[in-house]
Amino acid sequence: MSYLEEIQVKNLDHLGIVAGLIDEIGIVKIINNKLGIDVREKISAGTVVKSILINGLGFVSRPLYLFSQFFQDKAIEKLLRERIKPDYLNDDKIGRVMDELYKYGLNDIFIEVVLEVIKKIKIDLKYSHLDSTSFHLDGEYKREEDKEKQEEEKIIKERPIFIKKGYFRDHRPDLKQCVLDLITSQDGDIPLFVRVGDGNESDKAVFGKVLVEFKKQIKFDSIMVCDSALYGQENLQLIQHLKWITRVPMTIKKAKELVQNIEVEEVKDEDKEKRSDLNLESYTWKEEIVTYGGIKQTWLIVLSEKRQKSDLEKLEKQLSQEEKKSQKFLKEIQSEEFEHPQAARYKLKAINKKLRLLEIKEVELIETYSKKKEKIYKMISLIIKKDEEISRKTKEEGKFILATNLVEENKLEASEILITYKNQQSTERGFRFLKDPLFFTDSFFVGKPERIETMLFLMSLCLLIYNLGQRELRNCLKRVKKAINNQVEKVTLRPTLRWIFQCFQGIHYVILNGVKQIVNLTEERRFILSLLPASCQRYYL
């Protein structure tokens, strides 16, 4: 055997961090306890899930049918801690494990993982955020939608989702889709609850039920934060025993009246510094006690100066565009010949339906004769502004209303309500992560709705691992009061975990004459490892 044949070099890179975070949570043990271990199998279900999560957070965008190729150049024995070969991780094995996960209950497994995270790591659960997004899918996904069969399925088990067209968020109305509901913690954006729904599902119809189910599964006293899709009489009745903050839709008559008639309070000099510290210097507000849907609430009417400026610019642009459009309509209607007065007025009415801020008004209807000596009517008209509508919209610009049922007991400060709602982007960040082209969203080639649900479950576990690692890293940096350089060479206490992953590129697992060692572990990388859980350090040190 030559000298070169005695050397093995495998890539470890950032995957040891991912594997360590999986170990820290105990995902492999949870999966194996749920699905069981068959001694005849070369690889357990828990280890298969671990390998999928490592692949998912490898950021190489490889679909599942190339799964075993992902591990060809990786330190698979080091990462999975078993005598495993890449070809053990074939699509048949992965498919069987995915089917077993679905059969057991994806929600039950995810909840147990979340509870284990909450138990091991102190996460502030005062606020939780709910939102939804859609994932578009290629393929037909035909499935008989017999209502009686659906009801029967609901009695036996929760039915698989329907992949179908619905309200599209991805600008692909031509494709079918499914919906993902996600609840995250405000502290670290940790996913606490996930649910996959039909492609045509309405947020308004399910958000109340999602929150009720969430509180049944995870019993802690959290204030739920949601957008205006939650705010409706039926949902408010459904969640009246929960604590919540949400946005009030402007379609509600009472909301329109308040926005029109109530002036927000001037900021006192002694409050200006406090608001500046909270990054709320451009906001003013006024509180009102309102009863809606039989629930007593605090409504916070908020004015954002930045948003008001932007909205007024948009209003001015809209007015300018309507003026150009109305000039065309005016020329068109004044040049047209009508057989009856009613036809002219019908045409004018149809045109005015296309205008919001302007109106073409009839001045005079002239009776005359055409070249063929036939009686006709021509309309003389002019363009006028809808002053009341423009005034109404001007008063509304920059304003929105937040509502909470925490009125007397546990009453929140207005500034806390506003800050908490602004953190609703917690779920949005999760959706951006899940839809990143480098993530394995491209794996949506699977043919069954059950597999789609399982894939989204696994993707949500990846999000949990990533956000947990990022949270721990940032908290440690804050605790030791040290910063690291980010991708633009500026020091930061809030690096992204993706940047840390990039920093770990080029770390190799080398076996030389039977001696195993990690190479390219610099002092900077060692310092970063010292900020992460011990389970991550074990893969490198």
Side-chain angles (χ1 to χ4, degrees):
M1 184 181 290
S2 70
Y3 174 74
L4 290 177
E5 287 176 330
E6 296 176 10
I7 299 176
Q8 294 182 46
V9 180
K10 297 289 184 179
N11 294 331
L12 185 58
D13 300 327
H14 68 281
L15 301 179
I17 296 175
V18 177
L21 291 169
I22 294 168
D23 296 344
E24 185 73 13
I25 298 169
I27 291 176
V28 173
K29 184 178 179 182
I30 291 170
I31 300 293
N32 285 338
N33 286 343
K34 297 293 184 185
L35 304 187
I37 299 176
D38 189 335
V39 293
R40 296 169 296 176
E41 292 181 318
K42 295 178 180 178
I43 181 171
S44 70
T47 305
V48 170
V49 170
K50 181 179 181 179
S51 66
I52 293 173
L53 300 178
I54 290 173
N55 184 15
L57 289 168
F59 295 106
V60 292
S61 192
R62 286 177 185 255
L64 283 186
Y65 61 83
L66 296 176
F67 194 88
S68 59
Q69 290 184 21
F70 172 81
F71 284 101
Q72 288 293 345
D73 62 346
K74 306 296 187 299
I76 188 169
E77 289 188 20
K78 180 76 172 171
L79 292 168
L80 300 183
R81 295 178 177 266
E82 295 180 26
R83 293 187 177 276
I84 291 170
K85 296 179 181 179
D87 57 5
Y88 293 175
L89 297 164
N90 54 64
D91 54 352
D92 289 334
K93 177 63 179 178
I94 293 167
R96 286 197 299 273
V97 171
M98 289 177 74
D99 291 341
E100 288 174 21
L101 289 168
Y102 182 85
K103 187 177 178 181
Y104 185 89
L106 303 174
N107 187 52
D108 291 342
I109 297 172
F110 194 85
I111 290 296
E112 182 147 344
V113 171
V114 168
L115 291 174
E116 192 66 21
V117 170
I118 293 169
K119 178 181 171 184
K120 288 183 176 179
I121 299 162
K122 292 180 180 179
I123 298 170
D124 185 356
L125 298 171
K126 183 176 181 180
Y127 296 109
S128 303
H129 297 261
L130 166 65
D131 208 345
S132 71
T133 193
S134 58
F135 288 86
H136 61 264
L137 308 158
D138 296 305
E140 290 297 317
Y141 292 98
K142 291 181 179 178
R143 185 163 176 261
E144 189 64 38
E145 294 186 38
D146 181 69
K147 288 191 175 180
E148 291 183 7
K149 186 180 177 183
Q150 286 183 38
E151 292 305 317
E152 185 181 341
E153 285 178 333
K154 285 180 185 177
I155 295 170
I156 299 169
K157 64 177 180 63
E158 187 180 348
R159 64 166 175 79
I161 58 170
F162 286 113
I163 309 296
K164 55 171 63 178
K165 292 182 180 180
Y167 172 71
F168 54 93
R169 300 168 172 89
D170 293 336
H171 310 292
R172 290 300 306 268
D174 55 313
L175 295 178
K176 293 182 179 180
Q177 64 179 26
C178 64
V179 170
L180 178 71
D181 299 316
L182 175 67
I183 296 178
T184 61
S185 67
Q186 186 166 304
D187 176 17
D189 304 344
I190 307 299
L192 302 174
F193 186 87
V194 291
R195 174 188 168 276
V196 186
D198 300 340
N200 65 341
E201 190 173 81
S202 164
D203 292 349
K204 291 181 180 179
V206 302
F207 271 7
K209 296 172 185 175
V210 169
L211 291 183
V212 170
E213 182 62 26
F214 171 62
K215 296 299 284 190
K216 283 181 185 175
Q217 299 278 355
I218 301 181
K219 300 186 183 301
F220 53 74
D221 196 23
S222 188
I223 299 171
M224 306 308 305
V225 187
C226 190
D227 63 21
S228 59
L230 179 67
Y231 202 90
Q233 295 198 31
E234 187 176 336
N235 277 340
L236 294 183
Q237 288 294 328
L238 196 62
I239 61 169
Q240 60 180 310
H241 60 291
L242 305 180
K243 299 173 183 176
W244 50 262
I245 295 171
T246 186
R247 184 167 174 165
V248 180
M250 284 301 163
T251 51
I252 293 174
K253 184 179 178 182
K254 180 70 174 175
K256 285 182 179 179
E257 290 174 356
L258 283 176
V259 165
Q260 286 291 316
N261 301 320
I262 285 190
E263 293 296 328
V264 294
E265 298 171 345
E266 290 290 329
V267 183
K268 298 176 183 178
D269 290 337
E270 58 266 28
D271 292 334
K272 285 182 179 178
E273 187 176 345
K274 182 181 177 183
R275 292 195 187 188
S276 179
D277 292 340
L278 296 171
N279 199 24
L280 296 177
E281 61 268 27
S282 63
Y283 293 91
T284 49
W285 54 74
K286 184 176 176 59
E287 290 185 52
E288 287 285 315
I289 300 298
V290 174
T291 299
Y292 182 80
I295 308 296
K296 190 177 181 182
Q297 307 159 40
T298 297
W299 278 17
L300 190 67
I301 301 95
V302 183
L303 172 64
S304 165
E305 290 178 8
K306 291 179 181 177
R307 181 170 171 177
Q308 185 183 46
K309 183 180 177 182
S310 173
D311 288 350
L312 288 173
E313 287 172 357
K314 287 177 185 176
L315 181 62
E316 191 175 332
K317 186 178 179 181
Q318 184 185 351
L319 189 57
S320 176
Q321 288 172 344
E322 279 206 9
E323 283 173 352
K324 292 177 183 177
K325 191 191 294 185
S326 59
Q327 287 291 346
K328 281 186 180 181
F329 289 149
L330 181 68
K331 188 175 180 180
E332 178 186 328
I333 199 167
Q334 290 193 146
S335 62
E336 193 167 344
E337 298 176 349
F338 299 96
E339 293 181 0
H340 305 284
Q342 294 87 344
R345 289 175 180 132
Y346 181 81
K347 177 70 179 281
L348 181 63
K349 186 178 180 181
I351 285 174
N352 279 326
K353 282 184 178 179
K354 299 175 183 178
L355 301 173
R356 292 180 178 274
L357 305 175
L358 301 174
E359 182 180 12
I360 298 177
K361 191 172 183 181
E362 176 188 338
V363 175
E364 186 180 359
L365 202 59
I366 300 172
E367 183 181 313
T368 184
Y369 290 90
S370 67
K371 292 177 181 179
K372 295 180 180 179
K373 306 299 181 183
E374 295 173 343
K375 185 187 287 187
I376 59 166
Y377 295 88
K378 298 199 77 170
M379 180 176 282
I380 305 297
S381 49
L382 57 82
I383 301 169
I384 61 170
K385 288 185 177 180
K386 295 181 182 176
D387 291 328
E388 284 189 16
E389 178 65 14
I390 293 171
S391 175
R392 182 187 68 79
K393 287 187 72 67
T394 302
K395 285 181 180 179
E396 287 179 2
E397 304 299 22
K399 290 180 182 176
F400 58 94
I401 299 176
L402 302 178
T404 177
N405 62 341
L406 300 172
V407 180
E408 294 165 0
E409 188 179 354
N410 301 317
K411 188 179 186 303
L412 298 174
E413 290 288 332
S415 57
E416 187 172 357
I417 295 171
L418 181 54
I419 290 170
T420 302
Y421 186 78
K422 284 177 69 180
N423 285 324
Q424 181 66 3
Q425 60 185 309
S426 166
T427 48
E428 289 295 333
R429 285 190 289 267
F431 295 145
R432 284 197 298 272
F433 175 90
L434 294 174
K435 293 186 176 186
D436 192 302
L438 290 177
F439 198 46
F440 62 179
T441 325
D442 289 342
S443 300
F444 280 171
F445 66 92
V446 290
K448 297 193 297 183
E450 293 90 334
R451 292 274 180 93
I452 294 293
E453 291 187 58
T454 309
M455 184 64 70
L456 283 166
F457 158 78
L458 293 167
M459 290 167 64
S460 299
L461 281 181
C462 283
L463 175 62
L464 187 151
I465 293 160
Y466 180 90
N467 283 352
L468 184 63
Q470 184 168 266
R471 175 190 180 276
E472 291 302 285
L473 176 69
R474 290 176 175 180
N475 284 351
C476 278
L477 283 170
K478 188 177 178 181
R479 194 159 52 244
V480 299
K481 297 180 181 178
K482 288 187 179 181
I484 61 175
N485 287 338
N486 62 14
Q487 50 267 52
V488 292
E489 295 297 321
K490 290 185 178 179
V491 294
T492 179
L493 289 170
R494 294 181 57 79
T496 65
L497 195 61
R498 176 169 294 186
W499 167 242
I500 299 303
F501 287 173
Q502 290 178 16
C503 292
F504 273 65
Q505 296 304 298
I507 295 180
H508 302 299
Y509 180 61
V510 178
I511 304 175
L512 176 60
N513 295 326
V515 179
K516 302 172 183 178
Q517 58 183 322
I518 307 294
V519 297
N520 293 337
L521 199 59
T522 63
E523 284 304 314
E524 181 188 23
R525 289 166 173 172
R526 287 176 181 273
F527 171 66
I528 292 171
L529 281 173
S530 71
L531 304 170
L532 293 167
S535 54
C536 298
Q537 299 170 25
R538 282 197 291 269
Y539 285 88
Y540 298 92
L541 304 178

